[in-house]
C-alpha cells in the first residue's frame, strides 16, 4: 500500500526521505515521488523501484532540510509519473502526498474544474491539493482544515508550501499517520518503520486530527481547530517486526488485513438507503446486460474459487446462466463464446498468463470482458473492456488470503448491481448490502480466535491427509481451505462437495484421515449433518466451521470453530477465515516457509 515520509530539521532531507521510502518498500508500490521545499517547491517522481527515484535525485543540486515523499500503490489511475505523488497546486506552491481513498473525488473534481483548476493526473488525491489551494490565504493549516471539511473518504496526508517553508501540515482519517519526535528535527510517516532508525519517540495521530510540524515542535488540533493533547510513546519493536506490522509472517498480517481490505473495496460503492451499487469503471450498463445470454468466468487457483462462488451469486441474484472455467483449460477448448457472452476474468496479480490467454481468446471471439483485479495498471486490467479493482492492497505472502475475500466481496457487489438492472428487488438488495457492510467487523471477531485455532491446528499438524467438505456455497470454501493447507504446509488435502463424499472419498476415512467441514446454519445444514454422521460412524476425526450458537455441531465434531451469523450468500466471507488461520498455524508448526512455499511463485506469468 502507499507510504508517506516527511522530514523537517537541519539535515539533508532528501537522504532521510529516500531511506524512509526504502523502509516502506515491503508494503508494495509501483511509483514514488519526493517534494523538497527549497526556495520554490521542487518535485521529482519516477515509476517503478525507489532506486529510479534515487537516481533522479542524485543530480539534484539544491539542498533542503524540509520535504515530503511517497510510494504509491495505484488505485485510481495507472502507475505513471503524472499519477505519482506528490501532487501540486496550479501555482506550484503547494505539494501534497496522500494515502487512502477520496470517495467524493469525482464531484469535487468537477466543482474545482468549474472554478478554473487544472488537473494533471487521474488520481482521486489531486482534488485535495486544489481544494487546499482554493482556501489558502497564508495559513497552511487553516487551508488544510477547510479543505478536509468537504472530503468524504479516508486520508493520511502531508502537505508543504513554498509560502510557509518552515512547516509541514499532516492530517489523518482512517489511514495511519505517526509523527516522529527528534532533537531539532521531526518526522512524519505512515508506518514507524520509515523513521525508526532516527527516533523511537512517536506521537500517533488520531482520526480527524491535524498536526503542524516545525523544526522545534509539533502541535495538534481536531478538525474544528480545537487543540488536542498528545502523549509521546516509545517504540520497542525491531525494524523487521514492524515491516510485518508485528506479525511473524506476511501471510498472517494479510489474514489480519482483511477487515480493512474489505472496507477499502466497499468504500463509496454501496448506497444502502436506495439499494444502489456504484461501480465506476465497469463500462457495462443495462443495454450491454440485455445483450448477453450467459456469463463465463475464467481464473486460476484461489481466484478460480472466488469464481465458483460468483457462479452461485450470479445465478441467485442475476438469474443469468453462469459457468466457471479454469483459464488454462478454457483457452485450449475452442470454447463456444460469441458477442452474447460476458467473460469475467478474476486475478489478484492481473498478470497470470493462463487468465490473460483466456481473456484474449474470448475477446477474439467477440465476447464482452470484465476484470476483477487487484493490481492497478496490470496487463489484464489494461486489456479488459471494464471491471472493478478490489483495493485489497499489495499481497506479499504467496498464498492468497485477503485478495480472495476482497474478490468475493467485489463479485457480490457486481451481482447485486447486475441483479438491480434485471429483477432483483430493492429490499433484497438492501438486506444483502447491509449484511455485507457488517462483514469487516464480523471478520475482526473471528481473527480474535487465532490462538484457539492455533491450539486446534497443533492437534492436527501431524496428519498427512485431509478431506475438506462443504455443500452449495460452502463447497468452494472447502476447496479454498484445502488449497491453502496443501500450498503452505505440504499436507495432502482434497476439497469435495460433502454429499459427493459417499460416492468415493469416504473409502479413505479412518482415524488418521481427518475431515474439515464447512457447515454454516443455512438451508442445507441438516443434510451436511448427515454427512458428518457418516464420517463419525467410520471413526473419522472432524473439525467443523459452524455458526455461532450452533450447539448440535459440537456434539458431532471433535473441534468446532464458530463464525458469526450472516446472510446465507455471504457465509464464505466468514467461513474462509478460520480455514486460512488453521492452515497458517499448521504450516508454522511444521516449520515450512510460510510466505514463500516451495515450488510456488506469487505471479504465474508462464503457461
Ligand atoms: C493460491 C494462489 C494461487 C493464485 C493463482 C492465480 O493461494 O495464490 O492459486 O490464486 O495463481 O493468481 P492471480 O489471482 O494473480 O491470477
Amino acid at each position: 500500500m502507499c507510504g508517506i515520509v516527511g522530514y523537517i530539521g537541519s539535515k539533508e532531507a532528501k537522504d532521510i526521505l529516500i531511506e524512509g521510502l526504502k523502509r516502506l518498500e515491503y508494503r508494495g508500490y509501483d511509483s514514488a515521488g519526493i517534494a523538497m521545499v527549497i526556495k520554490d517547491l521542487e518535485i521529482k517522481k519516477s515509476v517503478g523501484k525507489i532506486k529510479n527515484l534515487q537516481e533522479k535525485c542524485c543530480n539534484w543540486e539544491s539542498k533542503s532540510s524540509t520535504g515530503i515523499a511517497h510510494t504509491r500503490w495505484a488505485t485510481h489511475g495507472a502507475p505513471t509519473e503524472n499519477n505519482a505523488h506528490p501532487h501540486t497546486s496550479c501555482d506550484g506552491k503547494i505539494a501534497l502526498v496522500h494515502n487512502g481513498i477520496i470517495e467524493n473525488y469525482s464531484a469535487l473534481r468537477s466543482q474545482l474544474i468549474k472554478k478554473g483548476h487544472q488537473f494533471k493526473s487521474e488520481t482521486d488525491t489531486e482534488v485535495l491539493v486544489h481544494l487546499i489551494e482554493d482556501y489558502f490565504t497564508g495559513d497552511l493549516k487553516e487551508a488544510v482544515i477547510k479543505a478536509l471539511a468537504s472530503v468524504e473518504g479516508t486520508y493520511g496526508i502531508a502537505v508543504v508550501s513554498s509560502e510557509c517553508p518552515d512547516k509541514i501540515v499532516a492530517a489523518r482519517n482512517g489511514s495511519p499517520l505517526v509523527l516522529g519526535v527528534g532533537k531539532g528535527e521531526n518526522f512524519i510517516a505512515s508506518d514507524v518503520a520509515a523513521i525508526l532508525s532516527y527516533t523511537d519517540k512517536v506521537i500517533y495521530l488520531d482520526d480527524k486530527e491535524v498536526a503542524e510540524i516545525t523544526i522545534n515542535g509539533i502541535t495538534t488540533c481536531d478538525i474544528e481547530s480545537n487543540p488536542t493533547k498528545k502523549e509521546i510513546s516509545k517504540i520497542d519493536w525491531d525494524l523487521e517486526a514492524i515491516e510485518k506490522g508485528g506479525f511473524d509472517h506476511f501471510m498472517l498480517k494479510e489474514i489480519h488485513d482483511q477487515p480493512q481490505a474489505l472496507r477499502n473495496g466497499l468504500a463509496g460503492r454501496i448506497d444502502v438507503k436506495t439499494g444502489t451499487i456504484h461501480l465506476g469503471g465497469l463500462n457495462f450498463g443495462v443495454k450491454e446486460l440485455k445483450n448477453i445470454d450467459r456469463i463465463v468466468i475464467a481464473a486460476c487457483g484461489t481466484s478460480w474459487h472466488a469464481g465458483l462462488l460468483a457462479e452461485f451469486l450470479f445465478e441467485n441474484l442475476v438469474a443469468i446462466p453462469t459457468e466457471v472455467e479454469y483459464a488454462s483449460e478454457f483457452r485450449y477448448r475452442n470454447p463456444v463464446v460469441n458477442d452474447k457472452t460476458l467473460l469475467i476474468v478474476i486475478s489478484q496479480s492481473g498478470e497470470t498468463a493462463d487468465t490473460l490467454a483466456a481473456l484474449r481468446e474470448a475477446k477474439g471471439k467477440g465476447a464482452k470482458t470484465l476484470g476483477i483485479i487487484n493490481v492497478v495498471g496490470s496487463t489484464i486490467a489494461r486489456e479488459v473492456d471494464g471491471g472493478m479493482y478490489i483495493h485489497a492492497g499489495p499481497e506479499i505472502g504467496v498464498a492468497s488470503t485477503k485478495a480472495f475475500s476482497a474478490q468475493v466481496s467485489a463479485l457480490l457487489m457486481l451481482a447485486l448491481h447486475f441483479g438491480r438492472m434485471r429483477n432483483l428487488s430493492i429490499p433484497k438488495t438492501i438486506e444483502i448490502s447491509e449484511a455485507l457492510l457488517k462483514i469487516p467487523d464480523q471478520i475482526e471477531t473471528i481473527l480474535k480466535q487465532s490462538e484457539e485455532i492455533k491450539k486446534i491446528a497443533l492437534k492436527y499438524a501431524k496428519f498427512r491427509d485431509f478431506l475438506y467438505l462443504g455443500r452449495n456455497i460452502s463447497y468452494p470454501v472447502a476447496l479454498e481451505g484445502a488449497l491453502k493447507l496443501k500450498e503452505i504446509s505440504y499436507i495432502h488435502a482434497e476439497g469435495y462437495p460433502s454429499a459427493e463424499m459417499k460416492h468415493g472419498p469416504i473409502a479413505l476415512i479412518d482415524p488418521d484421515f481427518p475431515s474439515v467441514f464447512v457447515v454454516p446454519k443455512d438451508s442445507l445444514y441438516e443434510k451436511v449433518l448427515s454427512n458428518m454422521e457418516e464420517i463419525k460412524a467410520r471413526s473419522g476425526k472432524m473439525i467443523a466451521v459452524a455458526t455461532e450458537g450452533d450447539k448440535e455441531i459440537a456434539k458431532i465434531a471433535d473441534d468446532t470453530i464458530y463464525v458469526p451469523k450472516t446472510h446465507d450468500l455471504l457465509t464464505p466471507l466468514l467461513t474462509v477465515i478460520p480455514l486460512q488461520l488453521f492452515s497458517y498455524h499448521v504450516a508454522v508448526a511444521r516449520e515450512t516457509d510460510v510466505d514463500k512455499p516451495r515450488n510456488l511463485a506469487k505471479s504465474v506469468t508462464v503457461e
Side-chain angles (χ1 to χ4, degrees), residues 14-296:
K14 179 188 77 188
D15 301 337
I16 293 169
L17 295 176
I18 298 273
E19 197 201 311
L21 292 184
K22 282 191 180 159
R23 297 263 182 222
L24 300 181
E25 273 191 300
Y26 74 94
R27 298 165 62 95
Y29 65 99
D30 39 47
S31 56
I34 182 166
M36 303 278 276
V37 188
I38 304 176
K39 194 159 164 276
D40 297 318
L41 290 184
E42 288 193 22
I43 315 275
K44 298 220 189 270
K45 300 183 186 186
S46 70
V47 173
K49 294 284 164 210
I50 308 275
K51 72 172 173 26
N52 301 346
L53 181 67
Q54 196 168 15
E55 274 161 24
K56 283 194 172 177
C57 291
C58 278
N59 314 326
W60 213 338
E61 286 185 358
S62 354
K63 289 202 181 307
S64 168
S65 48
T66 306
I68 54 175
H70 190 260
T71 44
R72 172 172 187 255
W73 194 79
T75 57
H76 295 66
T80 60
E81 280 194 18
N82 270 355
N83 289 334
H85 304 207
H87 290 287
T88 47
S89 53
C90 298
D91 64 7
K93 290 183 176 170
I94 303 172
L96 169 142
V97 292
H98 165 229
N99 287 357
I101 295 176
I102 305 301
E103 289 169 17
N104 59 339
Y105 82 100
S106 161
L108 290 172
R109 189 176 167 115
S110 311
Q111 286 163 22
L112 287 158
I113 288 173
K114 274 195 201 133
K115 285 180 150 187
H117 287 267
Q118 284 178 356
F119 280 75
K120 300 179 276 285
S121 78
E122 304 155 279
T123 63
D124 54 330
T125 296
E126 199 184 342
V127 295
L128 288 173
V129 74
H130 291 286
L131 270 177
I132 296 169
E133 178 177 34
D134 223 47
Y135 286 113
F136 185 72
T137 53
D139 184 334
L140 187 60
K141 187 177 84 181
E142 187 188 278
V144 168
I145 289 175
K146 284 186 178 156
L148 292 178
S150 330
V151 164
E152 284 164 26
T154 53
Y155 53 79
I157 56 169
V159 194
V160 287
S161 167
S162 53
E163 302 275 289
C164 325
D166 58 344
K167 66 182 66 153
I168 305 176
V169 174
R172 87 159 256 183
N173 185 34
S175 218
L177 215 52
V178 62
L179 311 174
V181 183
K183 284 195 185 112
E185 57 182 2
N186 290 305
F187 305 81
I188 304 165
S190 52
D191 182 326
V192 277
I195 54 174
L196 193 63
S197 50
Y198 301 102
T199 181
D200 57 1
K201 295 192 186 61
V202 297
I203 294 171
Y204 293 101
L205 217 52
D206 286 317
D207 277 350
K208 304 228 160 131
E209 228 175 4
V210 181
E212 194 173 71
I213 300 110
T214 66
I215 196 167
N216 298 319
I218 296 172
T219 55
T220 56
C221 65
D222 66 17
I223 209 81
E224 263 110 38
S225 300
N226 305 307
T228 51
K229 249 186 120 195
K230 304 299 289 180
E231 273 178 17
I232 296 179
S233 316
K234 192 169 174 319
I235 303 286
D236 47 16
W237 293 353
D238 63 33
L239 268 172
E240 205 208 336
I242 285 176
E243 287 177 352
K244 290 180 185 144
F247 293 101
D248 290 342
H249 297 94
F250 281 112
M251 182 183 175
L252 189 59
K253 174 184 174 287
E254 285 157 11
I255 291 173
H256 282 79
D257 277 350
Q258 286 177 108
Q260 193 53 41
L262 261 66
R263 285 184 193 114
N264 290 345
L266 292 167
R269 282 173 162 169
I270 297 184
D271 183 342
V272 194
K273 282 196 199 107
T274 59
T276 316
I277 312 293
H278 300 286
L279 302 178
L282 217 51
N283 303 329
F284 197 85
V286 180
K287 197 174 116 239
E288 285 79 13
L289 193 65
K290 268 200 185 129
N291 256 336
I292 61 150
D293 57 16
R294 80 194 240 269
I295 298 176
V296 176

Side-chain angles (χ1 to χ4, degrees), residues 300-303 347-349 352 398-400 483-484 487 604:
C300 304
T302 288
S303 298
S347 176
Q348 186 286 128
S349 61
T352 301
V398 164
S400 189
L483 179 64
K484 285 291 90 78
E487 277 180 306
V604 187

